[in-house]
Amino acid sequence: MTTGHGDGPADAAGGPARHLPVMLAEVLAHLAPKEAGRYVDGTFGAGGYTRAILAAADCRVLAIDRDPTAIAAGQALVAQSAGRLVLVHDRFSRLDEDAADHGFAPLDGVVLDIGVSSMQLDEAERGFSFRRDGPLDMRMGDTGRSAADLVAELDETTLAHVIWSLGEERQSRAIAKAIVKARAEAPITRTTQLAEIVARVVWAKPGEIHPATRTFQALRIAVNEELDELVRALAAAERALAPGGRLVVVTFHSLEDRIVKTFLSNRAKAPSASRHLPQAEGPEPSFRLLAKGVVEAGPEEVAGNPRARSAKLRAAERTEAPAHPGGDLMGLLPAPPPQRHGRRR
């Protein structure tokens, strides 16, 4: 999903990008690469985390990215790695299957950096940035519906829910109404075209983020099914990690962090018991938290790399307990939009 240098909401604007892996020192400290270890970098991108893991120990890395551009650009690093790096074009929600397919299971560590990459923001033709005119695409991979498709097809109620639930945009209803009105006059196919529609509805005070920031975030997350992918990736890591294996996740906005926090808290919680039922019920903890609360970037990194200012790191170590049943995972996702009857607008 990302490239190891994610962006906070304000960075979705696509300002000048710097390909710096965020919180690299903290990631390595919690991942603790060891000799002969087997690791997954689920969000390869520009390869920042992968390079650092390979340099930290004589280990092997299976790096995954759904963006074919990142896979192509990473072949030089594969050639330099002397067989220690395998690069796979896939979604990171399949990391357990990829690890098994390539002889990496069980894993000693998994690192995930969630969000959009600065490389993707830099390329106007990818359609992620409202500051660069380009086709309204936003797909991290090369298949599926684009943002332009969603803007054209979703009814007003569903569109408002997407913008509210995935972008945390308070003006979601007004934005959805403006989009529906505008698309009735002409198709919305360009990034700046959509940004201008949103800016006519949402007024930003000086110093605040661009009015279209949250709407673009919401559409990007919806197009790429990012939250669903994150939930499935966490469960995949739980299944693939060996006892003592480390899971390190870096997020950049509250929706992602909430999912990771809830997942790890649930997996690290001991079975409940009471005086009426002295024998504890429920699965044993499958993770042990490595840090109390969240780890954030230090002031020096934030000063040198503004993208780090919204980064949050959470980490846990796999126990010997079996992976928990997967039926409770979907409760981590935002509620679905309300049902609407009648013709789609």
Side-chain angles (χ1 to χ4, degrees):
M1 291 170 66
T2 74
T3 69
H5 36 70
D7 308 281
D11 296 308
R18 298 176 62 189
H19 304 309
L20 299 175
V22 171
M23 298 183 70
L24 180 58
E26 292 86 349
V27 166
L28 289 177
H30 288 86
L31 192 65
K34 63 182 181 181
E35 301 298 300
R38 293 172 290 194
Y39 298 90
V40 161
D41 178 354
T43 48
F44 174 74
Y49 289 156
T50 290
R51 284 187 180 88
I53 295 168
L54 291 171
D58 186 12
C59 59
R60 299 171 63 213
V61 175
L62 175 70
I64 302 170
D65 206 296
R66 66 193 292 186
D67 188 339
T69 303
I71 298 299
Q75 295 308 312
L77 184 57
V78 173
Q80 297 166 12
S81 69
R84 295 199 294 138
L85 171 62
V86 176
L87 197 52
V88 177
H89 180 209
D90 204 351
R91 294 178 177 232
F92 67 7
S93 58
R94 285 176 30 87
L95 69 86
D96 57 335
E97 299 174 58
D98 290 331
D101 290 345
H102 293 275
F104 274 74
L107 296 168
D108 295 295
V110 172
V111 61
L112 305 173
D113 174 6
I114 313 303
V116 66
S117 78
S118 54
M119 292 189 306
Q120 291 165 333
L121 289 169
D122 284 345
E123 300 172 10
E125 64 272 15
R126 302 297 296 274
F128 288 99
S129 173
F130 48 75
R131 295 195 187 280
R132 294 179 173 86
D133 183 54
L136 191 59
D137 193 321
M138 299 194 192
R139 290 175 296 177
M140 292 179 179
D142 50 5
T143 60
R145 293 193 297 174
S146 68
D149 292 330
L150 294 188
V151 166
E153 297 170 4
L154 297 182
D155 63 62
E156 185 177 320
T157 298
T158 304
L159 189 57
H161 181 80
V162 166
I163 296 170
W164 174 76
S165 63
L166 301 183
E168 300 179 302
E169 172 56 72
R170 295 181 179 180
Q171 301 298 318
S172 59
R173 292 182 181 179
I175 294 170
K177 184 176 182 179
I179 289 173
V180 169
K181 180 180 179 181
R183 77 187 185 193
E185 300 172 0
I188 303 170
T189 60
R190 309 291 295 183
T191 54
T192 51
Q193 184 183 6
L194 177 60
E196 290 169 2
I197 293 169
V198 176
R200 289 198 293 266
V201 176
V202 180
W203 296 90
K205 297 178 181 178
E208 291 185 347
I209 60 175
H210 189 283
T213 298
R214 295 187 179 92
T215 297
F216 269 62
Q217 172 186 297
L219 290 172
R220 189 203 79 225
I221 291 174
V223 163
N224 297 290
E225 301 177 318
E226 292 180 35
L227 301 187
D228 302 69
E229 284 290 298
L230 173 57
V231 168
R232 293 186 176 97
L234 294 172
E238 180 186 27
R239 293 190 295 268
L241 283 166
R246 302 284 185 91
L247 172 61
V248 181
V249 187
V250 179
T251 61
F252 293 87
H253 64 70
S254 60
L255 292 174
E256 301 163 345
D257 180 59
R258 194 177 306 141
I259 287 173
V260 178
K261 176 184 178 181
T262 302
F263 175 85
L264 290 180
S265 297
N266 174 271
R267 294 313 198 246
K269 184 168 56 178
S272 59
S274 70
R275 60 178 181 171
H276 303 293
L277 294 170
Q279 182 162 348
E281 295 185 346
E284 292 294 322
S286 58
F287 280 100
R288 177 180 66 85
L289 300 182
L290 292 174
K292 291 184 178 180
V294 69
V295 179
E296 298 182 336
E300 290 187 7
E301 180 176 3
V302 171
N305 182 10
R307 296 184 189 280
R309 70 185 180 276
S310 56
K312 290 180 170 55
L313 182 151
R314 295 185 187 273
E317 183 178 79
R318 191 70 171 82
T319 69
E320 294 185 359
H324 287 208
D328 59 341
L329 290 174
M330 291 303 104
L332 301 177
L333 295 170
Q339 293 296 316
R340 175 174 177 165
H341 303 286
R343 295 181 60 188
R344 187 175 67 189
R345 294 181 63 179

